[in-house]
Amino acid sequence: MTNKDNIQESLHAARVRLFQILCALDSLGGKKLDQREIEAFLEELFVEPEAAAENGAEAESGEAGADEEIGVSRVPLAAYRRSCERACSVRGALAEIDALIGTYSTEWKTERMSLVDRTIIRLALYEAVIAKKVPVGVALSEAVLLAKEYGSDDSPRFVNGVLSRIVKGLSLL
């Protein structure tokens, strides 16, 4: 694996972690949590046991198999905190993101979308349109990849269709 491949893999892993955090937060309903509350809420799931122990939490043994079953990679505390910070940024832009979805996706309102599809679309729009941290083509490709990994059989086509309609409507493609 080349250095470029390693970087791409770690960027994808960070995006997957952010997606998982956003899904967990969205499943809470409208409950508002600040960054510290988010960190505390999900730390046990995402942070390496030795890093959690250093942070004052009890390290539990024998849970690695459970992590693999649900597709969660444990990371150092600093990486987890960066993901929580990004999650707060995405959540802070939800009104703007959902307005875009509502404008360009007339047949599918966010509340009718599955949790997975909605989260993937929101994350891609945040990265490419709101924060402008990722090129549009990369955001769409990553969204489709996440949809293949975590969504239903129809998710990749649905996510791609909604995002394509929005970026075309915004003249970004």
Side-chain angles (χ1 to χ4, degrees):
M1 199 177 245
T2 68
N3 192 29
K4 183 179 178 185
D5 291 336
N6 285 335
I7 291 169
Q8 291 297 344
E9 177 63 26
S10 66
L11 289 173
H12 180 71
R15 186 172 284 109
V16 166
R17 185 172 48 258
L18 177 55
F19 160 74
Q20 291 170 332
I21 290 169
L22 289 168
C23 280
L25 295 173
D26 194 15
S27 69
L28 294 175
K31 189 173 182 182
K32 303 284 185 200
L33 300 176
D34 65 24
Q35 185 173 339
R36 285 183 181 224
E37 290 170 321
I38 293 169
E39 289 173 7
F41 175 59
L42 297 168
E43 182 176 306
E44 186 177 305
L45 184 62
F46 287 99
V47 178
E48 294 172 340
E50 50 282 351
E54 291 170 11
N55 196 38
E58 291 292 322
E60 296 181 21
S61 60
E63 292 190 17
D67 297 340
E68 291 171 11
E69 285 178 26
I70 60 173
V72 171
S73 315
R74 292 188 182 231
V75 296
L77 186 60
Y80 171 67
R81 285 185 171 155
R82 283 191 301 275
S83 294
C84 290
E85 182 180 353
R86 287 188 207 117
C88 288
S89 297
V90 174
R91 287 174 56 101
L94 284 183
E96 187 176 357
I97 294 167
D98 288 352
L100 284 171
I101 295 169
T103 299
Y104 294 100
S105 179
T106 55
E107 295 181 31
W108 282 92
K109 301 297 180 197
T110 56
E111 57 273 0
R112 286 190 56 216
M113 295 177 185
S114 74
L115 171 69
V116 169
D117 294 349
R118 176 177 60 237
T119 304
I120 293 169
I121 291 166
R122 285 173 167 172
L123 177 55
L125 288 173
Y126 175 79
E127 289 183 328
V129 178
I130 307 300
K132 297 181 173 130
K133 293 185 179 229
V134 176
V136 172
V138 172
L140 267 64
S141 295
E142 283 290 323
V144 171
L145 182 59
L146 283 172
K148 286 178 183 176
E149 290 178 49
Y150 295 96
S152 69
D153 290 342
D154 295 328
S155 290
R157 190 178 74 243
F158 175 73
V159 165
N160 186 58
V162 171
L163 288 171
S164 294
R165 191 173 311 121
I166 293 170
V167 298
K168 284 178 186 171
L170 296 172
S171 301
L172 298 175
L173 277 184

